[in-house]
Amino acid sequence: MTGKPATIKEIAKILNVSVSTVSRALHKHPTIGITTQLKVQALAEKLGYEPNQNAISFQKGKTYTIGVIIPELSEAFFSAAISAIEDTAYKRNYTVLIAQSHDNEEKEIQLVEKMKNSRVDGLLISVAKTTSSFAHFDMLKRFNIPVVFFDRIPPLKNIHYVACNMETGSIEAVNYLLQKGHRSIGLINGPATLAASGERKEGYIKAMTKNRLKFDPSLIVSCNLTEEGTRAALDGLLAHKRRPTAIVTFNDYVSLYAIKHARNLGIDLDKDLQFVSYANLPIINYMDYAPVASVEQFPYLQGQKAADILLDLLSRKEQSPDGVQAYYNVMVESQLIENKTKNSY
């Protein structure tokens, strides 16, 4: 033997039977006698025969592979979501192909094209923060590749998605700070291209107006979620005539950048400024000065639900290729978690 797996043709030649007979025998087809089946199966095992997965995929019109495109695998949020996606896919005999956009729109476009060319059966996508054009997602529809977005959702109609309710999370965050006696509360938001930024803003406004406090739009500052962008946003708020005594930040990483910058400026984080953030990542338990609370977004649950939806879509596609399907829009409720560790100020 050469070390290569035996083929059906080689088995057929050795047994002096047709290729179709070997194929049917390996699949235990009732038209093939039990004696022939046993001979074929015994020789196949002896020669180390393995089914050609590419041929099977071609025959069935599916690869049993789903693609996942996320901004950053190094972020704990997306790592948790990936774990859920892999766990869910494994139970349904699917393989997961993972790629990172690194929050770059051009790379995201290229990855979508590569996933299509790799013939994934479907895609799970969390959109890059810089993405402002969505033609690459529309292209997938033309190739009948179902897509489910999760966490970072594009502002498009007629899409499948799973997201966390950031509006209610923002209301909880602002209410929490109001209960602690703060009246001037800032918001360091994310890029306007992210739907989650708009939801955070809406929740912030609703909480302020519901508590009969004047909404000051200049207390909302957007940033690109980098450390440099966060420093600039914080500087702007600190220079405000109604300098905030508390700030809600887009996520825990932005909070970390803001707290670091505030400490470098000599601000007393026990008396003069407090932060609330989103994501409730494990990292905040190891920060010297952590946000006083963080909005839990349940990344594992989001990933699990997104994968379930995609696999359900693929199952329905197989059963009814031309069927018209409703769009799944799943909203996971957020939860404000107060940080009671010794590291919180």
Side-chain angles (χ1 to χ4, degrees):
M1 293 181 65
T2 64
K4 289 184 176 181
T7 65
I8 287 180
K9 286 184 179 180
E10 291 170 342
I11 295 171
K13 184 177 181 180
I14 292 171
L15 294 176
N16 196 27
V17 296
S18 68
V19 170
S20 61
T21 296
V22 173
S23 178
R24 290 192 181 100
L26 289 170
H27 289 88
K28 300 180 180 180
H29 198 279
T31 60
I32 305 300
I34 187 66
T35 302
T36 302
Q37 285 188 34
L38 292 174
K39 284 183 179 179
V40 170
Q41 291 163 14
L43 183 58
E45 183 177 356
K46 180 180 178 181
L47 298 179
Y49 167 77
E50 294 181 2
N52 186 324
Q53 293 301 326
N54 289 333
I56 293 172
S57 297
F58 180 79
Q59 185 180 35
K60 291 188 175 183
K62 60 191 304 183
T63 62
Y64 290 94
T65 301
I66 59 174
V68 183
I69 301 176
I70 56 173
E72 293 287 348
L73 184 57
S74 61
E75 290 191 14
F77 178 94
F78 291 112
S79 296
I82 287 294
S83 293
I85 291 167
E86 287 190 318
D87 290 346
T88 305
Y90 177 78
K91 293 174 184 176
R92 302 275 286 271
N93 296 317
Y94 273 81
T95 299
V96 180
L97 186 62
I98 303 168
Q100 303 176 81
S101 68
H102 295 298
D103 270 325
N104 182 285
E105 179 178 12
E106 188 58 37
K107 185 167 185 181
E108 181 181 85
I109 293 171
Q110 293 173 3
L111 289 174
V112 167
E113 179 70 20
K114 288 181 178 180
M115 289 286 188
K116 173 185 73 70
N117 293 340
S118 297
R119 299 190 181 279
V120 295
D121 294 333
L123 271 171
L124 296 167
I125 301 175
S126 190
V127 179
K129 67 185 180 185
T130 58
T131 299
S132 57
S133 175
F134 308 102
H136 49 304
F137 300 141
D138 291 331
M139 175 268 294
L140 294 170
K141 292 182 179 179
R142 297 199 302 272
F143 288 90
N144 201 24
I145 300 174
V147 180
V148 179
F149 297 96
F150 69 99
D151 185 54
R152 294 190 188 176
I153 314 301
L156 301 173
K157 295 181 179 179
N158 299 328
I159 60 172
H160 305 287
Y161 69 78
V162 176
C164 190
N165 194 333
M166 291 293 91
E167 185 173 313
T168 58
S170 297
I171 292 172
E172 275 193 282
V174 174
N175 284 341
Y176 172 80
L177 290 171
L178 291 172
Q179 290 168 8
K180 290 177 73 70
H182 298 283
R183 289 299 176 266
S184 182
I185 301 172
L187 170 63
I188 298 181
N189 210 357
T193 52
L194 296 180
S197 296
E199 293 169 6
R200 283 166 168 80
K201 180 179 178 180
E202 286 302 310
Y204 172 91
I205 294 171
K206 285 184 178 180
M208 296 298 284
T209 54
K210 189 175 180 179
N211 285 279
R212 298 180 180 179
L213 294 172
K214 182 181 179 181
F215 165 59
D216 185 347
S218 61
L219 283 173
I220 299 179
V221 182
S222 295
C223 76
N224 60 4
L225 307 182
T226 64
E227 183 168 2
E228 182 181 4
T230 301
R231 285 199 303 266
L234 181 59
D235 286 339
L237 288 175
L238 293 177
H240 197 281
K241 60 182 180 181
R242 293 181 58 213
R243 178 169 168 158
T245 58
I247 297 174
V248 179
T249 63
F250 185 85
N251 61 27
D252 290 331
Y253 292 105
V254 173
S255 183
L256 183 153
Y257 299 147
I259 289 172
K260 176 183 174 183
H261 186 46
R263 293 188 67 202
N264 288 338
L265 293 174
I267 294 173
D268 189 332
L269 296 177
D270 290 315
K271 299 177 181 179
D272 300 328
L273 187 61
Q274 291 190 321
F275 292 89
V276 170
S277 56
Y278 298 80
N280 192 39
L281 300 178
I283 189 175
I284 66 175
N285 295 317
Y286 303 96
M287 293 168 62
D288 289 336
Y289 286 85
V292 292
S294 186
V295 177
E296 174 63 64
Q297 296 175 239
F298 302 102
Y300 191 95
L301 182 60
Q302 284 196 56
Q304 183 182 58
K305 286 183 176 292
D308 278 335
I309 289 171
L310 181 59
L311 295 174
D312 183 53
L313 290 171
L314 292 173
S315 177
R316 293 189 182 191
K317 177 182 173 183
E318 186 176 8
Q319 295 168 13
S320 180
D322 302 319
V324 178
Q325 300 169 359
Y327 289 94
Y328 290 85
N329 296 159
V330 177
M331 195 66 74
V332 175
E333 286 303 321
S334 58
Q335 181 182 358
L336 184 75
I337 305 296
E338 187 173 16
N339 185 2
K340 296 182 178 180
T341 67
K342 64 180 181 180
N343 292 328
S344 60
Y345 49 89

